[in-house]
mmCIF file of all heavy atoms in Angstrom:
data_model
loop_
_atom_site.group_PDB
_atom_site.id
_atom_site.type_symbol
_atom_site.label_atom_id
_atom_site.label_comp_id
_atom_site.label_asym_id
_atom_site.label_seq_id
_atom_site.Cartn_x
_atom_site.Cartn_y
_atom_site.Cartn_z
ATOM 1 N N GLY A 662 -21.004 23.357 -31.652
ATOM 2 C CA GLY A 662 -21.287 22.886 -33.003
ATOM 3 C C GLY A 662 -20.412 21.691 -33.412
ATOM 4 O O GLY A 662 -20.237 21.442 -34.557
ATOM 5 N N ALA A 663 -19.931 20.958 -32.455
ATOM 6 C CA ALA A 663 -19.070 19.822 -32.736
ATOM 7 C C ALA A 663 -19.902 18.723 -33.486
ATOM 8 O O ALA A 663 -21.072 18.546 -33.161
ATOM 9 C CB ALA A 663 -18.447 19.237 -31.505
ATOM 10 N N ARG A 664 -19.307 18.051 -34.435
ATOM 11 C CA ARG A 664 -19.948 16.987 -35.176
ATOM 12 C C ARG A 664 -18.924 15.993 -35.615
ATOM 13 O O ARG A 664 -17.726 16.285 -35.712
ATOM 14 C CB ARG A 664 -20.805 17.537 -36.358
ATOM 15 C CG ARG A 664 -19.937 18.254 -37.365
ATOM 16 C CD ARG A 664 -20.860 19.087 -38.319
ATOM 17 N NE ARG A 664 -20.034 19.791 -39.284
ATOM 18 C CZ ARG A 664 -19.760 19.437 -40.498
ATOM 19 N NH1 ARG A 664 -20.201 18.193 -40.926
ATOM 20 N NH2 ARG A 664 -18.979 20.141 -41.293
ATOM 21 N N VAL A 665 -19.373 14.793 -35.880
ATOM 22 C CA VAL A 665 -18.512 13.720 -36.371
ATOM 23 C C VAL A 665 -18.639 13.589 -37.900
ATOM 24 O O VAL A 665 -19.808 13.554 -38.454
ATOM 25 C CB VAL A 665 -18.887 12.318 -35.724
ATOM 26 C CG1 VAL A 665 -18.063 11.203 -36.283
ATOM 27 C CG2 VAL A 665 -18.829 12.423 -34.223
ATOM 28 N N VAL A 666 -17.532 13.608 -38.594
ATOM 29 C CA VAL A 666 -17.538 13.524 -40.054
ATOM 30 C C VAL A 666 -16.708 12.312 -40.452
ATOM 31 O O VAL A 666 -15.755 11.922 -39.728
ATOM 32 C CB VAL A 666 -16.973 14.839 -40.671
ATOM 33 C CG1 VAL A 666 -17.847 16.017 -40.326
ATOM 34 C CG2 VAL A 666 -15.545 15.050 -40.222
ATOM 35 N N PRO A 667 -16.946 11.774 -41.633
ATOM 36 C CA PRO A 667 -16.083 10.648 -42.113
ATOM 37 C C PRO A 667 -14.662 11.122 -42.333
ATOM 38 O O PRO A 667 -14.395 12.295 -42.734
ATOM 39 C CB PRO A 667 -16.760 10.233 -43.417
ATOM 40 C CG PRO A 667 -18.140 10.844 -43.373
ATOM 41 C CD PRO A 667 -18.033 12.059 -42.524
ATOM 42 N N LEU A 668 -13.732 10.250 -42.175
ATOM 43 C CA LEU A 668 -12.266 10.507 -42.368
ATOM 44 C C LEU A 668 -12.090 10.568 -43.885
ATOM 45 O O LEU A 668 -12.547 9.667 -44.625
ATOM 46 C CB LEU A 668 -11.414 9.458 -41.701
ATOM 47 C CG LEU A 668 -9.922 9.602 -42.018
ATOM 48 C CD1 LEU A 668 -9.404 10.777 -41.254
ATOM 49 C CD2 LEU A 668 -9.185 8.348 -41.542
ATOM 50 N N SER A 669 -11.405 11.564 -44.357
ATOM 51 C CA SER A 669 -11.128 11.701 -45.788
ATOM 52 C C SER A 669 -9.659 11.570 -46.055
ATOM 53 O O SER A 669 -8.804 11.874 -45.251
ATOM 54 C CB SER A 669 -11.618 13.064 -46.321
ATOM 55 O OG SER A 669 -13.038 13.234 -46.054
ATOM 56 N N GLU A 675 -13.898 9.870 -49.102
ATOM 57 C CA GLU A 675 -14.152 9.239 -47.777
ATOM 58 C C GLU A 675 -13.384 7.952 -47.645
ATOM 59 O O GLU A 675 -13.376 7.119 -48.618
ATOM 60 C CB GLU A 675 -15.725 8.991 -47.628
ATOM 61 C CG GLU A 675 -16.030 8.393 -46.297
ATOM 62 C CD GLU A 675 -17.524 8.142 -46.165
ATOM 63 O OE1 GLU A 675 -18.304 8.859 -46.853
ATOM 64 O OE2 GLU A 675 -17.911 7.263 -45.348
ATOM 65 N N VAL A 676 -12.840 7.685 -46.499
ATOM 66 C CA VAL A 676 -12.082 6.486 -46.228
ATOM 67 C C VAL A 676 -13.070 5.534 -45.432
ATOM 68 O O VAL A 676 -13.465 5.857 -44.348
ATOM 69 C CB VAL A 676 -10.795 6.768 -45.387
ATOM 70 C CG1 VAL A 676 -10.109 5.477 -45.039
ATOM 71 C CG2 VAL A 676 -9.917 7.657 -46.143
ATOM 72 N N TRP A 682 -7.963 2.733 -42.172
ATOM 73 C CA TRP A 682 -8.095 3.380 -40.851
ATOM 74 C C TRP A 682 -6.950 3.071 -39.945
ATOM 75 O O TRP A 682 -6.311 3.904 -39.326
ATOM 76 C CB TRP A 682 -9.391 2.983 -40.212
ATOM 77 C CG TRP A 682 -10.620 3.832 -40.450
ATOM 78 C CD1 TRP A 682 -11.553 3.609 -41.381
ATOM 79 C CD2 TRP A 682 -10.991 5.040 -39.845
ATOM 80 N NE1 TRP A 682 -12.465 4.636 -41.370
ATOM 81 C CE2 TRP A 682 -12.199 5.497 -40.368
ATOM 82 C CE3 TRP A 682 -10.403 5.803 -38.811
ATOM 83 C CZ2 TRP A 682 -12.820 6.667 -40.017
ATOM 84 C CZ3 TRP A 682 -11.011 6.988 -38.395
ATOM 85 C CH2 TRP A 682 -12.233 7.357 -38.970
#
Side-chain angles (χ1 to χ4, degrees):
R664 57 195 179 95
V665 178
V666 298
L668 177 69
S669 301
E675 182 179 336
V676 177
W682 269 96

